[in-house]
Amino acid sequence: MDQIISLIINILELSSLFGLVAMGVYITYKILDFPDLSVDGTYPLGASIVAALLIKGVNPWVATLCAFLGGAVAGFVTAFLHVKVKISNLMSGVLVMMGLYSVNLIIMGKSNTPLFTTTHIFNGDKIYLALEKIFTLNINGNTYNLTKFIIVLVILILVKVLLDLFMKTKLGFLLFAVGDNEQMVTTLGVNNDNIKILGLMISNALVALAGGLTAQYNGVADVGLGTGVVVKGLACVIIGSSIFSRFKFIKSTSQSIIGSIIYYAAISIALKLNLNPNLLNLLTATVIVIALASQNDILGLKKKKLKKGGAC
């Protein structure tokens, strides 16, 4: 029972952290139809910025905010290369991802930075210590610390609510419109380039925020932290949208978060069943293929609609 509860808490913590990435990927892939590979670079960028600032004694919440802003700058660079320099969206992401690897090394001064002895959001911070007294539970003689989960959950909910509110504004509607039909938006006298820049800045800011929080959660920042992040984020988005798209009352941001929970639950269970960790990326790729196939009805899972008169 103790192992099951610990496993559930771990899944909720990791999926809540990655839910920020899933929402960021949702903006680029689902709304803007922009395959942004720079995500693999902005994720460790957030971790690098946080690590460099924490080592210098900067307040962890300020350091995390700086990671958010750093991700927005990286998103701007990707968008600028695409809309102003006229480089393809795919290549723009690749170039920024490559460049950020060196940037992250310069920021930290080395390939990884331990944070175990520094004060951060999940260790020694005043807010953490205050919440720890409230959310440390004792069940049947076993102690469970829910403080990390509560902090991440509050951040996730706050970001989700703000993003949902933004999507209801004029700029939010234009973001959807640019992804659906750029020419129509142009006829309205709106600059498509500016909307794309805004979308990519928000997306990468969320991803960098997740990277900064994850570095503090793991107690270490590493330049290789972003390997495969874009694929995992896409997997979460596709899983969530494939299963819950029929339920109109569930917002797309919620679908992405739920997809993260399902993804991390599947990965955790697979590891518990002694699956070779080297096969995790293959498992992720397989899940994406199945989800995409079901969306396109390649597997023939959708029921054929009957036309009026009973004809198929």
Side-chain angles (χ1 to χ4, degrees), residues 42 52 55 63 153 225:
T42 50
I55 294 298
L153 182 63
L225 188 65

Side-chain angles (χ1 to χ4, degrees), residues 269-288:
I269 292 172
L271 291 175
K272 276 290 181 181
L273 296 175
N274 296 322
L275 176 74
N276 187 339
N278 295 327
L279 298 177
L280 287 182
N281 284 342
L282 178 60
L283 176 62
T284 300
T286 303
V287 169
I288 293 178

